[in-house]
């Protein structure tokens, strides 16, 4: 199948920059301006991450603030063996998951083995056509994507967000979540398949472009 | 390689992380299995949707409150 070349998707874009460690070092010595530079670099990404994890703007804002405050006060513990950004993501993920646990204590269980039982084979197999997104206005498409991802179990959602939206590597994602690389890969596969199934009703041919909103 | 095995390798196939032997096995299966081809293509599209969705701008008020909180709470304690 020439149309199915193993071209990596998505393309990973680097974050940070060669000078990141300089700012980290200065911030570690108490230079608030250097820390502000790091905040400026990552505030958008951390807010988006927090929003994707918590699904709630108020919680996301609190996570954003707490993540940067904790990062600054714990800079001494940053070993420098990973990127500062990965370390910051780990703090933000922990804050976000804590918020979710407080809200829905029985749903969030990243340390639990999830993968063993369910059958991976997709239930719905239909083509979407070449440009399914063109059936929706941009804002409507974004709503569909947001609702689909919000409906994933947090354990899958977090892995998908880190790998496919924040574009961390499997190793960085494993580090950020304190789980193994095989667990990351397994959850990513399931997250991708579940999202595909959730989007399927919107994009399969012959459907009304605006199906009823799924129950939330 | 059957459909189940292909789906198990789907993520790494899409990420270009399969070794050559496995990759060729997946390709051989996809060449004759339309269902798996559709799953591969629509999963790829799913990832692209999220990957390409416009990054959220950080709302100005959220940003202002963040920087105000940092300025207030990270000030060195007075001796």
């Amino acid at each position: 199948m020439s149309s199915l070349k193993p071209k990596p998707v998505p393309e990973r874009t680097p974050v940070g920059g060669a000078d990141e460690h300089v700012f980290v070092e200065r911030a570690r010595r108490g230079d608030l301006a250097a820390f502000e530079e790091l905040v400026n670099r990552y505030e958008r990404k951390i807010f988006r991450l927090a929003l994707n994890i918590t699904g709630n703007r108020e919680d996301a804002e609190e996570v954003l603030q707490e993540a940067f405050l904790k990062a600054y006060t714990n800079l001494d513990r940053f070993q420098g063996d990973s990127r500062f950004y990965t370390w910051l993501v780990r703090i933000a993920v922990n804050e976000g998951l804590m918020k979710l646990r407080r809200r829905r204590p029985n749903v969030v269980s990243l340390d639990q083995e999830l993968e063993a039982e369910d059958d991976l084979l997709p239930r719905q197999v239909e083509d979407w056509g070449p440009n399914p997104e063109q059936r929706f206005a941009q804002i409507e498409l974004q709503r569909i994507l947001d609702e689909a991802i919000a409906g994933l179990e947090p354990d899958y959602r977090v892995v998908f967000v880190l790998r496919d939206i924040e574009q961390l590597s499997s190793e960085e994602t494993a580090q950020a979540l304190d789980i193994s690389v095989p667990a990351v890969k397994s959850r990513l596969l399931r997250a991708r398949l579940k999202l595909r199934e959730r989007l399927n009703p919107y994009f399969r041919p012959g459907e009304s472009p605006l199906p009823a909103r799924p129950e939330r | 390689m059957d459909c189940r095995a292909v789906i198990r390798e789907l993520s790494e196939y899409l990420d270009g992380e399969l070794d050559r032997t496995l990759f060729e096995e997946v390709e051989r299966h996809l060449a004759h299995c339309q269902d798996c081809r559709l799953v591969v293509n629509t999963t790829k599209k799913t990832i692209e949707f999220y990957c390409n969705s416009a990054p959220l701008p950080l709302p100005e008020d959220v940003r202002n409150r963040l920087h105000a909180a940092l300025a207030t709470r990270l000030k060195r304690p007075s001796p």
Side-chain angles (χ1 to χ4, degrees), chain A residues 6-187:
Chain A
K7 189 176 166 206
V9 286
E11 289 177 19
R12 312 269 162 203
T13 49
V15 291
D19 57 348
E20 185 183 87
H21 69 282
V22 176
F23 288 102
V24 171
E25 203 40 55
R26 281 172 47 196
R28 209 199 287 267
R29 292 198 300 265
D31 181 345
L32 264 181
F35 188 68
E36 286 264 346
E37 174 60 32
L38 295 168
V39 175
N40 290 336
R41 280 183 194 196
Y42 298 126
E43 57 193 5
R44 274 178 67 165
K45 290 172 84 66
I46 295 297
F47 184 65
R48 177 174 64 176
L49 170 65
L51 204 52
N52 272 316
I53 292 176
T54 63
N56 172 307
R57 189 175 143 151
E58 280 173 30
D59 285 349
E61 182 171 350
E62 284 181 27
V63 168
L64 176 74
Q65 292 191 9
E66 284 307 313
F68 280 114
L69 286 165
K70 282 200 174 160
Y72 186 77
T73 49
N74 290 296
L75 264 178
D76 282 350
R77 294 190 205 164
F78 173 60
Q79 301 292 324
D81 52 358
S82 63
R83 287 185 302 167
F84 172 77
Y85 174 63
T86 315
W87 184 71
L88 179 63
V89 161
R90 182 173 183 153
I91 296 173
V93 166
N94 282 339
E95 289 294 316
L97 290 176
M98 269 197 298
K99 285 235 174 287
L100 274 186
R101 283 194 191 101
R102 277 200 287 272
R103 243 189 307 136
R104 292 183 290 168
N106 299 322
V107 188
V108 186
S109 56
L110 260 179
D111 47 352
Q112 187 179 308
E113 271 312 304
L114 304 162
E115 292 79 21
E117 301 302 327
D118 61 330
D119 194 332
L120 282 174
L121 277 184
R123 290 188 295 274
Q124 305 157 353
V125 181
E126 288 146 298
D127 198 2
W128 289 357
N131 293 299
E133 68 276 24
Q134 286 176 1
R135 303 165 75 188
F136 298 95
Q138 186 59 41
I139 196 160
E140 188 61 23
L141 179 64
Q142 195 57 52
R143 179 187 70 77
I144 292 168
L145 297 178
D146 289 347
E147 288 190 354
I149 201 168
L152 280 186
E153 295 89 333
D155 312 79
Y156 295 126
R157 187 166 71 235
V158 172
V159 170
F160 181 82
V161 166
L162 293 184
R163 284 282 282 114
D164 283 342
I165 299 181
E166 300 307 327
Q167 304 190 6
L168 268 60
S169 67
S170 293
E171 290 71 20
E172 289 169 326
T173 304
Q175 224 173 41
L177 299 177
D178 203 16
I179 58 178
S180 67
V181 169
V184 168
K185 291 186 171 182
S186 171
R187 286 173 201 195

